[in-house]
Amino acid sequence: MKKIEAIIRTSKFEAIYSCVAGLGVKFLTFYEVKGMGLEQARPQTYRGVAYEPAFIPRTKLEIVTVDALVQPVIDCILNEGATGEVGDGKIFVYDVLEAYRIRNKEQGEDAL
Amino acid sequence: MKKIEAIIRTSKFEAIYSCVAGLGVKFLTFYEVKGMGLEQARPQTYRGVAYEPAFIPRTKLEIVTVDALVQPVIDCILNEGATGEVGDGKIFVYDVLEAYRIRNKEQGEDAL
Amino acid sequence: MKKIEAIIRTSKFEAIYSCVAGLGVKFLTFYEVKGMGLEQARPQTYRGVAYEPAFIPRTKLEIVTVDALVQPVIDCILNEGATGEVGDGKIFVYDVLEAYRIRNKEQGEDAL
Amino acid sequence: MNQEIFTINNLWILVATILVFIMHLGFASLEAGLTRSKNTVNILFKNTLIPAIGLLTYAFIGFNLMYPGDAFAGMFIGLGGIGLSLPEGWNTSEYADFTFYTDFIFQAMFAATAATIVSGAVAERIKLGPFLTFSILYVGICYPIVGMWKWGGGFLDTLETPFYDFAGSTIVHSVGGWGALVGAYLLGPRIGKYTEKGMKAIPGHSIPMATIGVFLLWFGWFGFNGGSVLSADPGEVSLVFVTTAIAGAAGAFGALLASYLKFKTYDITMVLNGILAGLVGITAGADLMGPGEAAIIGFVGGILVVLGVVFFDKLKIDDPVGAIAVHLVGGIWGTLAVGLFGDLAGGAQVLSQLIGIGATAAFCFGTSWLIFFSLKRTIGIRVPAAEEIEGLDINEHGMHAYPDFAKQG
Amino acid sequence: MNQEIFTINNLWILVATILVFIMHLGFASLEAGLTRSKNTVNILFKNTLIPAIGLLTYAFIGFNLMYPGDAFAGMFIGLGGIGLSLPEGWNTSEYADFTFYTDFIFQAMFAATAATIVSGAVAERIKLGPFLTFSILYVGICYPIVGMWKWGGGFLDTLETPFYDFAGSTIVHSVGGWGALVGAYLLGPRIGKYTEKGMKAIPGHSIPMATIGVFLLWFGWFGFNGGSVLSADPGEVSLVFVTTAIAGAAGAFGALLASYLKFKTYDITMVLNGILAGLVGITAGADLMGPGEAAIIGFVGGILVVLGVVFFDKLKIDDPVGAIAVHLVGGIWGTLAVGLFGDLAGGAQVLSQLIGIGATAAFCFGTSWLIFFSLKRTIGIRVPAAEEIEGLDINEHGMHAYPDFAKQG
Amino acid sequence: MNQEIFTINNLWILVATILVFIMHLGFASLEAGLTRSKNTVNILFKNTLIPAIGLLTYAFIGFNLMYPGDAFAGMFIGLGGIGLSLPEGWNTSEYADFTFYTDFIFQAMFAATAATIVSGAVAERIKLGPFLTFSILYVGICYPIVGMWKWGGGFLDTLETPFYDFAGSTIVHSVGGWGALVGAYLLGPRIGKYTEKGMKAIPGHSIPMATIGVFLLWFGWFGFNGGSVLSADPGEVSLVFVTTAIAGAAGAFGALLASYLKFKTYDITMVLNGILAGLVGITAGADLMGPGEAAIIGFVGGILVVLGVVFFDKLKIDDPVGAIAVHLVGGIWGTLAVGLFGDLAGGAQVLSQLIGIGATAAFCFGTSWLIFFSLKRTIGIRVPAAEEIEGLDINEHGMHAYPDFAKQG
Ligand SMILES: Nc1ncnc2c1ncn2[C@@H]1O[C@H](COP(=O)(O)OP(=O)(O)O)[C@@H](O)[C@H]1O
Ligand SMILES: Nc1ncnc2c1ncn2[C@@H]1O[C@H](COP(=O)(O)OP(=O)(O)O)[C@@H](O)[C@H]1O
Ligand SMILES: Nc1ncnc2c1ncn2[C@@H]1O[C@H](COP(=O)(O)OP(=O)(O)O)[C@@H](O)[C@H]1O
């Protein structure tokens, strides 16, 4: 079991979701985060003061999945999430020691 | 040291919190996330157009704790977080390499 | 590659960011979380009912970086993030198996 | 009366009508502000329909129930007909200081207020259908019957020392207040309000909306009270403006003082409630008091509203917006104050005021109990617990009030 | 007319002017509420400038185009001059029942309404510059020309059976509605509204703002219709108040019924649109109807708005706030209703009403097509897709409406 | 004067009173909108208490200080008594064109404006207690003394060429503006506003609230200026309506142009400030100007407000809402404009205007320095840094304005 964490463009969420759903990934979690990176946030002005808001809003996606699906999921994100411009984001992969389904206390890969 | 990540029903937060506090867990972090899963989001309509909002709001809980407490914490979540209906959520366990308390630079298990 | 997760005081974000940027860390992600811990949330009252909101708003910082930079980054956070009072937060370190840059499919440390 | 004065009087009552109209937005904003964002569509939906219900039912039957005509003088109930039929000389001073239609529309705007008051107290847990049913019956039938007792020439008006209620501390506000009390009681408190570990605060979702609401209510109150002079008489209307302004201002300070002493905190929601309690308090005698008396009445009203909120919380009657404390407690206080201060003060007047308060209490408590209880026993009045927790907006309306914004845990 | 009556009439028209003024806040709130938070600064920016544009262009040329003087009676177009020049006796009853300046300012407040209606329909995707250009031309030139046809003594007023439009169902609301239709059509729908998988809902970001907007509009409408009596005549103004109130209330129920039957949901945005449709509907004949007829006109208006929203969605004409259904459909219905109900009902009147509707349709459709199409072919009228997705606020204004709040995904 | 005209005049002043009342909601909304959500309860708390303070202190002493009676004509200060005592014939035209109570309540509504203006400039960092203390003293004593100089028959009114200030560009707005300047200066800027790395923007939390505020202010301004005619005279009131409307509209465009040229951005907050500056500018001479002159005064006011905001930022005087630029700069400009344009234009008038501006400057600067400085040296006027960072709402009120919504980092 691995956890795939991807920081993506919010506008790419739907495309990525369709792709991973097509692989049989039934569950995922996501939330809004802010990023600092190469991409510059769009400059804003307020009452004559130009300022750069310190961050760019992004979506973070978390999918825990069986080892066999890790590469296909990553490919989905790489293919569907890229525009080729700075700001496309990153993917990180982590090891997962254990998983449980709260509803019925199933454990391990069954719980995913 | 392990990190326990649980995606739970927002309404179950208080019960789970009391349970883990009873185990002596003094710290935890949580935030709002959105989930896709077996549970369907309640259909909404707006000006005659029915639509399913793509996600369900959920709470994500993060607890880093010593190995000895991992199973009790998981049991708390499994027991207090379940309704038996689709949508109860998941628990994932990860390894933690190191921990620090910022206040006094304590390190390792002392920092938890 | 390691992932450094720090739960910090929101007010310390800028100081920490300058410090790690000085180390050459070009990317980071952060978001608002809520914490339970030793620090007590400020009591609130509403229409005569005193209540303690269950949590304190905090910022969570995530930096994935090469092993060589882990200790310097942690030192930044420990030094810049501390006030010496309860509530300064924690740092956790995790292992990262793999990383990708979505823009150009770079992999591994190049992707950071 | 000459045509010029007739035209001025008529114009003022129409302007006052518009001011009373906007009070409905005031109520909508206040109630939405003091409840949670998961129930905001629901409360706005109700408060948007209430003026519509008020206008239509009042045209259909209410106006005739409230002003059944001289034949029913001194009585409890009467019905002059159904619908609106233009009397002879309706648009001349033969009819009154204003036209028939002006009379109707000004009164009709008052009517819906009774139900609006209730909607705040029962918010966040009542089913939509039963609430609307209650509103139609209460606004369409109960309110005009009580109104008739005094304003329609009924028995309260023909007491030896007539009951006095200038613009409706009892006849409008307490009528709403009793419905609010019964509704909140029969529904029971919101989930999580009174727990084993004690009372929990359930903060409203938008202090700005609540503040906007109270300012709009105060704004409209100048029409509510000022229009109740039923003419543009310079002396009377200007006196009423002064007492209305002063009582509201003093109410703010009464509530500020009481809430600071009791809770050691500067609670804006209490100050807002205090303004309203001051306004409700002055309503019964706005034309009888001087500025000093208005200040006392308002100030005491502001104190009472804080004690009232605490009191009903002790009884575990859960009123998210403080409607019972404002309109019922404030309404009783204002009605009594007519016997204690100002031009009519005196023992006989106190007695008459108590008769009016008591009669209204009995009738409104009884009828609203009857309506709410029948609904409870038949179709049920409370949404299921799961709906309540998730919010009425998504369950009753399939919609969120603020779909763009992330929610606090 | 004596000085007293002159003063009263003048005062009422001025008070009505203020009420019409606040309708601009009503439109701003409604349109902001029914669109997404990423475009809120943009819509508020436009709706703040529109009354300013209306006032200035109307002073510069509009007033003279709309009221060119008797020499142009029965004609299509005329221009009395440029700017405001005080006529002899401007501040006496020689001029009218009110002063020249009162006349101007009341009319000027009406003028901007036409552009405000358009701004809702084209929201969330139109470029700022082209929209302001359109507004200036449409408010400054097109609106007053149509207004002249009837209110300025033009050809619609001199038909054998004169076209009748009391306060502007056609002359104000449909004029705006046609511009809205053309604008929304030429722009195309918002990205993501009509997809291969069917229509998608794009919920507005704040139901409270939308509700506040509609209440303020209703509030102002008492001045819009009541002031159109052009005097404080007690009978007429009070009748107009009653029909305006009843039609709005009935519109709420018409839309509630229709939307519940069609969608099985209690949609507050439809109820709000229904109120407006009822108000637009009664506007043409507010002084001709009794309460019962007002109720029918309002109720049908409320039903029509729901059908209209569905209809334009079928045509893939994307109107985020329902402006076309409210102002165009409602305006046509109200104008026709003058031939079907009330004092003027009859075949000849229906014909005249149709002539007025048709002439307005042709002219407004034509001119707004001309303006929008020229702009489209030259500087372009639609923001780039990336801007639209990210939001107009940050792209056109470099600013967020709610910088403190976290956004829902 | 006959009873009819007396009644009409009285009615108009009362209606104007209500319009001025709602300006307090306008200020509350504008100031809340242009500050951060962590300080929203605090700003609303203050702005809710201010009208209450204004009404009560004005009844207690202010009215008597401002209108001490003929015995004090030509002087600097006078006191006619304490509290309100009804003069002979108070409700007849013996007293004035309106009743004594009408006089009082209209003036009282003006009074609180001075403190409201200050509250915006000192927002987000001032302690509650000291602010309320300042407000009571400034509204209760300083404002009426300045008012007396002109409107109470004091020395500015008895200059050879009397100082002219129709509705208070100087006497109301600059009075507030000076207090705002002193307060903002003595408090120092908000943490993080002027850093070593330069100036940082601190965006307000709700553009919709700010917009609602400005519309309500404009709405109320028709009463502020229109009521200052002190009668319903058709010619005068209608002229004042036109100049008020045009100046606001032109102010929008002045600010739009200036801010676009300077910052290359369409900044709605500047347009909103521009409208207000146009309105403040026309206030001194609203009855003296024609539409063209009103347009120039408003347009220049709109430009000045943008320059003013930049200027005070350069001086590191931190004014979150632009109150100093709007009310002080705009007020001075409007007062001067009376000498430059319109019926009174001329060198002698310019001189008198400068005397009025100067005297007000000296007195208001002096007294507000005295009050703020004494408070600073004793109980302190600024909240601790930690409180400021965390927000005044939670620290001074133990409450959040929007507890349901997640916050942006
Ligand atoms: N090493 C990292 N640790 C944490 N977050 C990262 C890291 N690298 C990138 N991110 C996140 O990903 C976002 C996208 O980075 P971006 O500037 O788009 O990278 P690139 O230009 O390489 O495509 C950043 O805003 C940040 O939130
Ligand atoms: N493998 C996974 N990876 C990431 N998030 C998951 C995963 N499985 C479940 N979740 C999260 O948990 C939530 C609950 O899943 P749910 O549909 O309730 O599962 P179940 O029906 O098995 O109880 C989902 O909405 C999603 O946010
Ligand atoms: N073991 C843990 N697991 C998850 N979150 C933690 C843990 N320890 C601390 N935190 C987070 O860090 C925040 C800061 O803790 P705090 O009370 O400041 O600790 P300390 O007093 O030791 O400095 C907490 O509110 C919580 O969000």
Side-chain angles (χ1 to χ4, degrees), chain E residues 361-387:
Chain E
F363 181 75
C364 291
F365 195 92
T367 52
S368 43
W369 189 285
L370 190 73
I371 303 173
F372 272 128
F373 196 73
S374 318
L375 290 168
K376 186 172 174 171
R377 278 297 151 100
T378 50
I379 52 178
I381 54 177
R382 185 156 180 159
V383 300
E387 270 195 41

Side-chain angles (χ1 to χ4, degrees), chain A residues 27-29 62 64 101 103, chain B residues 35-36 38-39 87-90:
Chain A
F27 297 94
L28 56 80
T29 301
E62 298 186 358
V64 176
R101 165 171 278 127
R103 172 157 51 94
Chain B
M36 308 277 206
L38 290 183
E39 194 193 21
D88 282 348
K90 303 282 173 77

Side-chain angles (χ1 to χ4, degrees), chain E residues 20 75 118 125 142 144 251 261-262 296 325 407:
Chain E
V20 176
M75 295 182 63
V118 180
R125 58 210 193 278
C142 303
L261 291 180
K262 268 194 95 71
I296 296 171
K407 293 283 154 56

Side-chain angles (χ1 to χ4, degrees), chain D residues 35-403:
Chain D
T35 51
R36 288 164 292 177
S37 62
K38 64 184 178 183
N39 300 320
T40 301
V41 170
N42 184 256
I43 195 101
L44 293 173
F45 191 90
K46 291 190 293 196
N47 284 37
T48 302
L49 282 185
I50 285 171
I53 289 174
L55 286 163
L56 296 176
T57 60
Y58 206 72
F60 184 65
I61 186 164
F63 191 51
N64 286 311
L65 274 172
M66 192 142 160
Y67 300 95
D70 294 342
F72 298 90
M75 296 183 61
F76 281 83
I77 188 163
L79 180 59
I82 290 287
L84 298 179
S85 52
L86 282 179
E88 203 60 29
W90 69 271
N91 59 352
T92 67
S93 56
E94 242 174 79
Y95 177 76
D97 282 8
F98 33 79
T99 73
F100 171 79
Y101 277 136
T102 299
D103 190 10
F104 162 72
I105 195 75
F106 183 62
Q107 300 290 342
M109 284 301 173
F110 267 64
T113 311
T116 309
I117 292 169
V118 180
S119 90
V122 300
E124 308 207 88
R125 58 209 193 278
I126 199 168
K127 274 195 205 165
L128 188 60
F131 176 77
L132 294 179
T133 310
F134 171 82
S135 296
I136 291 168
L137 295 173
Y138 207 62
V139 169
I141 298 176
C142 303
Y143 164 77
I145 290 175
V146 176
M148 179 265 180
W149 294 353
K150 167 67 193 170
W151 296 339
F155 77 99
L156 288 177
D157 199 43
T158 54
L159 293 179
E160 202 167 333
T161 307
F163 172 70
Y164 195 83
D165 190 358
F166 174 63
S169 284
T170 284
I171 290 173
V172 180
H173 293 281
S174 292
V175 167
W178 287 112
L181 178 65
V182 170
Y185 175 74
L186 285 179
L187 273 169
R190 289 168 294 171
I191 294 172
K193 173 78 193 188
Y194 309 110
T195 68
E196 298 145 34
K197 296 184 211 149
M199 193 156 53
K200 280 180 63 176
I202 303 181
H205 88 282
S206 174
I207 299 298
M209 277 199 79
T211 307
I212 288 175
V214 167
F215 268 96
L216 289 179
L217 283 165
W218 198 348
F219 176 71
W221 226 290
F222 289 105
F224 195 92
N225 284 355
S228 293
V229 171
L230 298 180
S231 83
D233 180 85
E236 276 194 68
V237 179
S238 62
L239 170 62
V240 167
F241 266 55
V242 171
T243 54
T244 301
I246 297 276
F253 280 97
L256 177 59
L257 186 78
S259 66
Y260 186 74
L261 290 180
K262 269 193 97 70
F263 318 129
K264 299 278 167 281
T265 175
Y266 302 105
D267 187 329
I268 189 172
T269 70
M270 285 298 187
V271 171
L272 295 173
N273 274 175
I275 290 171
L276 297 184
L279 292 168
V280 171
I282 199 63
T283 292
D287 61 335
L288 304 173
M289 308 296 162
E293 289 148 336
I296 296 171
I297 292 173
F299 192 78
V300 173
I303 293 173
L304 286 177
V305 85
V306 174
L307 302 180
V309 165
V310 172
F311 175 75
F312 290 110
D313 259 344
K314 281 231 176 81
L315 297 184
K316 303 202 173 161
I317 294 173
D318 182 19
D319 174 0
V321 308
I324 307 173
V326 166
H327 299 280
L328 182 54
V329 176
I332 291 175
W333 159 243
T335 308
L336 266 180
V338 168
L340 305 176
F341 304 95
D343 303 353
L344 297 180
Q349 190 66 46
V350 169
L351 203 73
S352 291
Q353 299 303 95
L354 286 172
I355 293 173
I357 293 168
T360 305
F363 180 76
C364 291
F365 194 93
T367 51
S368 44
W369 189 284
L370 190 74
I371 303 173
F372 272 129
F373 197 73
S374 318
L375 291 167
K376 186 170 174 171
R377 279 296 152 97
T378 49
I379 52 178
I381 55 177
R382 185 157 180 158
V383 300
E387 269 194 42
E388 188 179 333
I389 290 169
E390 220 190 336
L392 275 68
D393 286 4
I394 191 65
N395 281 284
E396 303 253 305
H397 306 272
M399 201 184 270
H400 288 295
Y402 305 97

Side-chain angles (χ1 to χ4, degrees), chain D residues 2 37 204 207 234 238 266-267 406 408, chain F residues 4 99 102 397 399 401 403-404 406:
Chain D
N2 64 30
S37 62
I207 299 298
S238 62
Y266 302 105
D267 187 329
Q408 191 80 271
Chain F
E4 288 78 16
T99 74
T102 299
H397 304 275
M399 201 183 271
D404 283 15

Side-chain angles (χ1 to χ4, degrees), chain F residues 14 27 57 60 67 69 84 88 93-94 102 106 167 171 230-231 241 250 278 282 287 299 306 316 318 321 344 361:
Chain F
L14 288 177
F27 279 113
T57 59
F60 184 66
Y67 299 96
L84 298 179
E88 204 60 28
S93 56
E94 242 173 81
T102 299
F106 182 63
I171 290 173
L230 299 179
S231 83
F241 265 56
I282 199 63
D287 61 333
F299 192 78
V306 174
K316 302 202 174 162
D318 181 19
V321 308
L344 297 180

Side-chain angles (χ1 to χ4, degrees), chain A:
Chain A
M1 284 181 297
K2 297 283 178 298
K3 178 193 200 186
I4 299 160
E5 243 179 46
I7 292 137
I8 61 168
R9 291 183 189 274
T10 304
S11 58
K12 290 292 183 187
F13 177 77
E14 295 217 0
I16 293 172
Y17 176 62
S18 316
C19 181
V20 299
L23 299 174
V25 169
K26 284 209 283 287
F27 297 94
L28 56 80
T29 301
F30 64 102
Y31 45 100
E32 302 306 300
V33 299
K34 291 154 218 159
M36 308 277 206
L38 290 183
E39 194 194 23
Q40 291 299 311
R42 180 175 296 277
Q44 305 189 14
T45 49
Y46 178 77
R47 297 178 74 68
V49 185
Y51 70 110
E52 276 173 38
F55 58 84
I56 307 181
R58 301 225 161 276
T59 294
K60 183 167 161 194
L61 212 67
E62 298 186 358
I63 303 175
V64 176
T65 190
V66 294
D67 292 4
L69 275 176
V70 169
Q71 200 54 48
V73 166
I74 288 173
D75 289 340
C76 271
I77 302 174
L78 289 176
N79 292 331
E80 301 296 332
T83 65
E85 308 217 356
V86 161
D88 281 347
K90 303 282 172 77
I91 308 173
F92 304 115
V93 184
Y94 308 89
D95 198 36
V96 179
L97 301 181
E98 193 51 275
Y100 300 85
R101 165 171 278 127
I102 298 175
R103 172 157 51 94
N104 54 13
K105 307 195 182 179
E106 268 176 324
Q107 199 171 343
E109 300 204 346
D110 291 343
L112 296 185

Side-chain angles (χ1 to χ4, degrees), chain D residues 3-4 6-8 10-11 14-15 17-19 21-22 24-25 28-29 40-41 44-45 47-49 51-53 55-56 59 84 90-91 99 101-102 104-105 109 128 209 219 396-406, chain E residues 2 4-5 8 11-12 15 19 36-38 203-208 211-212 215-216 218-219 222 232 234-235 237-239 241-242 245-246 249-250 252-253 256 265-269 271-272 275 290-291 402 405-408:
Chain D
Q3 183 64 17
E4 289 79 15
F6 177 68
T7 306
I8 304 169
N10 187 74
L11 180 60
L14 288 177
V15 170
T17 300
I18 318 179
L19 292 168
F21 170 76
I22 207 65
H24 289 292
L25 176 57
S29 299
T40 301
V41 170
L44 293 173
F45 191 90
N47 284 37
T48 302
L49 282 185
I53 289 174
L55 286 163
L56 296 176
L84 298 179
W90 69 271
N91 59 352
T99 73
Y101 277 136
T102 299
F104 162 72
I105 195 75
M109 284 301 173
L128 188 60
M209 277 199 79
F219 176 71
E396 303 253 305
H397 306 272
M399 201 184 270
H400 288 295
Y402 305 97
D404 282 16
F405 296 97
Chain E
N2 63 32
E4 289 78 16
I5 290 290
I8 304 168
L11 181 61
W12 167 233
V15 170
L19 292 169
R36 287 163 293 177
S37 62
K38 65 183 179 184
H205 88 282
S206 174
I207 298 299
T211 308
I212 288 176
F215 268 96
L216 289 178
W218 199 348
F219 176 71
F222 288 106
V237 180
S238 62
L239 169 63
F241 266 56
V242 170
I246 296 275
F253 280 97
L256 177 59
T265 174
Y266 301 106
D267 187 329
I268 189 171
T269 70
V271 170
L272 295 173
I275 290 171
Y402 305 97
F405 295 96
K407 293 283 154 56
Q408 191 80 271

